[in-house]
Amino acid sequence: MQIGKEKRFWRSGNRRGFSFLEIMMVVMIIGILVAVVGPKILNKVGFARDRATRLQMGNIKTALGEYEMTVGALPTTDQGLDALVHRPSDVSEDLWGKRKMDDLPLDGWGEPFLYRCPGEGEREYDLISKGKDRKEGTEDDISAFKDDDENRR
């Protein structure tokens, strides 16, 4: 008997559910929230990637300093940052000691860092992240020495 009453309830016009207008209002509210909150969240993600990149650069600079102290010179451009993880063939085991990093970190966008030794100008070396656009030589590149460059101007 209960089943018959449920069928009658649905057929009587007293339907449960939402009208098209109610659904559209909810969609509009969600759209407004996404428009307001979305950019703030994306900005935080960009800030976090930038910060992670700068922290990784600090780790690499520390490892390069340790390498220079133990080996007596910085890795060449050809040896690259890999010299911090694997002993270069032209460096004796006595000088090498132990690896300076467990593995090479990537920047905040999953790209390898660029390393050149000697660096531009008076710098011993350059350590660069290609940044968000993943292209070298653009405005969003992050240099380990960017603050030093800006202070010289």
Side-chain angles (χ1 to χ4, degrees):
M1 293 283 180
Q2 188 73 6
I3 294 174
K5 287 183 181 178
E6 284 182 26
K7 283 186 179 179
R8 228 179 316 145
F9 176 76
W10 284 101
R11 288 187 182 149
S12 68
N14 294 333
R15 295 178 297 145
R16 291 186 191 182
F18 298 105
S19 70
F20 179 73
L21 184 60
E22 291 169 326
I23 292 172
M24 290 309 297
M25 291 297 287
V26 169
V27 169
M28 280 182 30
I29 292 169
I30 291 171
I32 291 169
L33 286 173
V34 167
V36 171
V37 176
K40 290 181 181 180
I41 291 172
L42 291 176
N43 189 28
K44 297 280 186 200
V45 170
F47 175 79
R49 287 182 176 184
D50 184 87
R51 184 75 179 128
T53 298
R54 292 179 192 279
L55 289 171
Q56 291 292 21
M57 284 180 154
N59 293 339
I60 293 170
K61 286 171 69 174
T62 300
L64 285 167
E66 184 181 343
Y67 182 96
E68 185 177 25
M69 286 175 43
T70 57
V71 175
L74 288 166
T76 65
T77 301
D78 290 337
Q79 291 170 332
L81 295 175
D82 191 57
L84 301 174
V85 178
H86 304 101
R87 181 179 62 84
S89 59
D90 60 342
V91 174
S92 71
E93 286 189 42
D94 293 339
L95 279 179
W96 170 249
K98 63 179 181 79
R99 67 175 59 193
K100 311 310 178 226
M101 298 186 89
D102 290 332
D103 55 6
L104 291 178
L106 300 175
D107 69 9
W109 296 271
E111 295 288 321
F113 288 94
L114 302 175
Y115 171 78
R116 292 185 200 96
C117 184
E120 289 182 12
E122 299 173 14
R123 287 192 299 257
E124 288 184 282
Y125 62 90
D126 287 328
L127 182 60
I128 300 167
S129 164
K130 295 183 268 183
K132 180 181 177 180
D133 68 0
R134 296 178 170 94
K135 294 179 184 172
E136 184 180 358
T138 58
E139 186 113 353
D140 70 338
D141 290 0
I142 301 171
S143 169
F145 303 102
K146 187 170 188 174
D147 293 336
D148 295 340
D149 293 344
E150 289 173 357
N151 290 335
R152 278 189 221 148
R153 292 181 196 162

